[in-house]
Amino acid sequence: MKRPTGTPTRTGKSPVADKRNLADDKTGTTRRKVTRHKNRKPRRGGIFGWIAALVTLVWRIVWGSVWRLAMVVALIIGAATAYFYVTLPEASDLFDGRARGSVTMLDRDKRVFAWRGETFGAVNSEKIAPVLKQAVISTEDRRFFRHFGVSPRGIASAIKINLAAGRGPLEGNGGSTITQQVAKLLCLGETFDPTRFKNEAEFEADCRSGGVWRKIKEVPYAFAMEAKYSKDDILNIYMNRSYLGAGARGFEAASQRYFNRPASEVNAQQSAMLAGLLRAPSYYAPTANLARSQERADTVLGLMHEEGYLTDEQLAQARANPAELSQAAEARAGGYFADWLMESGPGFLTSETTEDVTITTTFDQRIQRAAERALKRVFDEKVKDGSTAEAAVVVMSADGAVRAMIGGRDTTVNGAFNRATQAKRQTGSSFKPFVYAAALEAGYSPSDRIEDGPLTIRIPGGKNWSPQNYTRRYYGQVTLTDALKRSLNTATIRLQEVVGRDEVIRVAHDFGIVSNLTRSPSLGLGASEATLLELTGAYAGIRNGGTSVAPYGLVELNVQGDDHPLMGQTGGFGERVISQRAAGQLIYMMQQVIDSGTGGRAKLGSRPVAGKTGTTSSYRDAWFVGFSEQYVTGVWIGNDDNKPLTGVTGGGLPAEIWQGVMSEIHDGLPELPLSTVSPDGSGIIMSSGGTTPKVVTSGSPDDPLAAALAGVMNGVNGQDQGGRTITAPGEGGGNPAATPGDSSSASSDDALSRALNGILSGN
C-alpha cells in the first residue's frame, strides 16, 4: 500500500504529540505547558529599573565629558608648558631680579655701616651652606625633591587649613611649592609694562598677588621650570631672588646684612633665622625685633629636626645659642646720616640707581655712638617720662665733614623724619653771632660799647616793635663781648641797625644759612628759620677763621665693576666771608659765652671751647651750637607740633647734651687751643689754651715783633683799653660806624695803631 506523501492534516488530538510536549525525550521530566499571549508587554523591573537606567545615562554623559575635558585641559597645559619652556632663559640669568640697585655705605675707616636700596650678592649651590638649604626646604617645601613642580597633597592640605580657619579655599595658605614660588618671583615670565603700571613697585605687587587665574598659570610655568632646570637651579633662583627684610635681596645679602658673614659660613641657628624670614620678611627681620626673629628661628629648627636634618644634640645646641646680629647690624648706627646722603646725592646714583654703588663717607661710628649715649643719658636723667620733646644733633669737622647725625630721639630708624636736615625752625639767639660777625667785619671790636636799654623801632605800615631782654633787665652801656655772652636782645638789635640788616643777611647767607631770612628788625634775634645742619655748618665757618664750608658726607662714590671713582668729595671749604681778624675776635667773644655767660653748662673743663645758646619766643625751640679746635657740634630740642617746651632754654638741656657729646668724642684727644684774636682789635692771633698764653701773628708764629706790639697794645701795665661807644641810628651821639681796619683798642684817631693793625691783620 502506497504511503501518502506531503504534510499530513491533523484533525484532532495526537497522542504522540501530546506526549512529546509533556515529557523530555531523554529524562522524561514533565514540562509545564506554556501559554503565550501575543499582546502582553515584557516586564521592566519597576521604579528601580528606571533609576538604574537614569544613572547609567548620566554616567555615560559625565564620563564622556570628563575624559574629553581632561584631554583638552591636558593639551592646553602641555602647550602652555611647552611655550614657557621655550621662553625660559638660562637659570643664572634669573638670579638678580631687582628693579633698582643698591647703595652700600662705608664710614671713614672703610667699614660698612648702612645699606640702602636692595643689596644683592649672587651665589650658587656650592656657595650656600648645606644647612641653609636644609632650613629652607624644611620650612617651605618638604617634598621639594620628590614632586614635579606642583604638590596636590600640599594644595589639599592648604585648602583644608584655610577652610578650618574660616577663610576661602585659596585665601591664606596656598600650598605652593618652592617651584611655584619661583614662578611667582619671576612674574610668570611677564616684564614691566609702563602703560599698565605706574612703577616697578606696583608691577611687583601685582606679581605677588594671589587669585585663581594666577594659580592656574603657575602650574604650566612650574612644569616648564621643572623640565628645563635642575632642582639645584630652581633652589638657586629662589635663594637669590627672595626678599629677606632690611633691603636684603637673596640669602647672601641677608647673611652679610644680619651676621656680617657669607651664606656659605652660616650655622644652623643663623640658617633657621634666615629661612624664617621667608614667611614675613619685614615682620620677622631681626633688625626690627630680634626676640621675635629668634622665636621664629626656634620653630624652623624644630622643622629641621623633624625632617632629620638635625640630631637631638644639634637641635639642643642650636636652641641654647640663638643667632645674634653682628655689631654693625645691631648698632644700626647712622640711619639719619645715610638717609641724608641718599637725599642730598644725585638721584640716579643714590635713591634711583640701577647699579650697585659703594659710597665712602665722612661718618664716624665712634662719634655717632657717643652722641647717641649722651642724648639718651640727658633725656633719661633730666626729662620727665612721657615727654614728647624731640632732639637733633650734628657733629662735624671744621671743614664741614659731617661725622655724626641724630635726627630724633629714636636713633634706630631708617627713612624717618630727620630733624637735623628737614626741620626748619627759628634759630633764636643762636643767630646773633652773625650780627656780631658783620659788626666786627665792619671794623668794630669786642671792647666797643653799645647801649642795652629799652628800644622801640618804628615799622612802616605796621605796629612799633619793642624787643626785650630775656631777664627783662637792662645793663646800660655794655661791650660787644658782654652783649653777646649775656645774649642781650636790645643791644644786639641796636648793633644790627648800625651795621645794616642787608650786611647781616649777607654774612649769614655766605656762611651757609641758605634758608630765606626775614628783613624785619627781628632778624638779629633769630626770627628766621634754618635747619640744624645749616646752622652747624655756618658755625664751622666761624671756627675755621671766617671761610665758609659746605657740609658734606660723601667722600668717594664707586660703581661696582668700575676701577675708578665716579664721584669725589661733594663739599668742604668755600669762600672767605669775614677776615681772619674778625673771625678770631668773634671766637674770643663766643668763648666768653661758655666761660662766663649763658652757656656755662657747656664747659669742658680746661679745654678751650666756644659757642652760643639760642631760645626762641614762647620757648618753642632751644639750641646750643659750639666748637672746639677739633669738632663743631650743634644741638636742637623742640616739639614736632611746635608746642612750647616746659622750662627749656638753650643754656639748659641743649648745652648739657652738647657738653655730654663733646666730652665723649674728645676723650683721649689733646687739649688744643682755639685761635682767637685779642679783644683790643690789634689783629694779633692769640692762642689762649694751655698754661701760658702764646701771642703770634696769623702768618708767622713766635714772631717777637708781633709779641712786642701785642704787649704794648694790650697794655702791659694793666691799663684798661676802653672801646668806642656805638650809637644806633636816630639815638644821637657817639661815634659813627667804623670802617674795616680801624683799631678799637686805642684811640680811633691813632693813625699808627690803625696802620699796625692793618699790617698785622693782613687786611
Side-chain angles (χ1 to χ4, degrees), residues 307-327:
E307 293 299 306
Y309 293 128
L310 295 178
T311 64
D312 293 343
E313 182 180 353
Q314 290 172 330
L315 175 65
Q317 183 179 6
R319 283 179 165 170
N321 301 280
E324 299 284 349
L325 289 168
S326 67
Q327 184 177 356

Side-chain angles (χ1 to χ4, degrees), residues 602-614:
K603 287 182 180 179
L604 295 182
S606 59
R607 185 181 299 276
V609 289
K612 183 68 184 76
T613 57

Side-chain angles (χ1 to χ4, degrees), residues 262-336:
S264 59
E265 298 179 5
V266 292
N267 55 32
Q269 50 268 45
Q270 291 168 336
S271 299
M273 182 173 286
L274 292 174
L277 297 172
L278 291 165
R279 171 173 289 185
S282 298
Y283 180 78
Y284 287 115
T287 50
N289 190 315
L290 181 59
R292 185 164 56 205
S293 184
Q294 289 173 336
E295 183 178 351
R296 172 65 179 156
D298 188 80
T299 301
V300 175
L301 288 170
L303 295 174
M304 295 172 69
H305 180 257
E306 290 178 9
E307 293 299 306
Y309 293 128
L310 295 178
T311 64
D312 293 343
E313 182 180 353
Q314 290 172 330
L315 175 65
Q317 183 179 6
R319 283 179 165 170
N321 301 280
E324 299 284 349
L325 289 168
S326 67
Q327 184 177 356
E330 184 177 11
R332 283 177 286 176
Y336 289 109

